[in-house]
């Protein structure tokens, strides 16, 4: 059974940090890139970042560049999203998804993702 489980969300004040984790199982982790996506209430899903399982290449949406860092531990089938300098506009449900390639067009990656996990809520508020 394919599973992608995002965790690590919570309530944080503006300027704070959170580290999200995505645990993958049920498929060959090395054959897929993993992306992070988010959806705020009343808004469309947005691609946040992705990482290639082959060479660790990462791409980020412009609004999180310099603040978010994605990493992976292929031995543990885990992917992480370190989120620093969080802003209220980062508030959303965050999902991880698996697709065959990590590309700069994160929206397209999300549209073709093979597997999705349950999300984790991130709320940035004072």
């Amino acid at each position: 059974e394919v599973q992608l489980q995002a965790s690590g969300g919570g309530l944080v004040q503006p300027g704070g940090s959170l580290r999200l984790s995505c645990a993958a199982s049920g498929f060959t982790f090395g054959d897929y890139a993993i992306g992070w996506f988010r959806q705020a209430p009343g808004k469309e899903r947005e691609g946040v970042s992705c990482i290639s399982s082959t060479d660790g290449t990462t791409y980020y949406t412009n609004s999180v560049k310099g603040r978010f860092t994605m990493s992976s531990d292929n031995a543990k089938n885990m992917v992480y999203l370190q989120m620093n300098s969080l802003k209220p506009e980062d508030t959303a449900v965050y999902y991880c998804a698996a697709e065959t390639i990590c590309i700069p067009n994160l929206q397209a990656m999300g549209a073709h993702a093979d597997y999705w996990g349950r999300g984790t809520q991130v709320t940035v508020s004072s």
Side-chain angles (χ1 to χ4, degrees):
E1 178 186 6
V2 172
Q3 285 193 338
L4 285 166
Q5 181 61 57
S7 62
L11 173 63
V12 64
Q13 292 186 342
S17 297
L18 282 174
R19 187 192 193 208
L20 304 184
S21 299
C22 176
S25 62
F27 62 96
T28 304
F29 189 75
D31 289 345
Y32 287 85
I34 303 295
W36 283 102
F37 300 83
R38 65 186 180 186
Q39 188 163 21
K43 294 189 176 181
E44 292 187 355
R45 185 180 65 206
E46 176 188 24
V48 176
S49 64
C50 66
I51 188 166
S52 167
S53 61
T54 54
D55 61 7
T57 298
T58 54
Y59 296 108
Y60 300 90
T61 191
N62 285 339
S63 63
V64 308
K65 284 180 180 177
R67 301 188 298 121
F68 291 11
T69 303
M70 194 170 178
S71 61
S72 66
D73 185 338
N74 287 5
K76 296 182 178 180
N77 288 5
M78 294 289 295
V79 169
Y80 307 97
L81 184 67
Q82 179 66 43
M83 306 188 296
N84 298 329
S85 303
L86 282 161
K87 304 176 181 180
E89 50 264 42
D90 295 317
T91 295
V93 178
Y94 284 70
Y95 303 87
C96 53
E99 217 277 345
T100 52
I101 57 172
C102 170
I103 56 175
N105 187 337
L106 294 165
Q107 289 301 98
M109 180 185 176
H112 295 91
D114 292 321
Y115 307 119
W116 287 89
R118 289 188 172 185
T120 185
Q121 176 72 47
V122 172
T123 302
V124 185
S125 175
S126 55

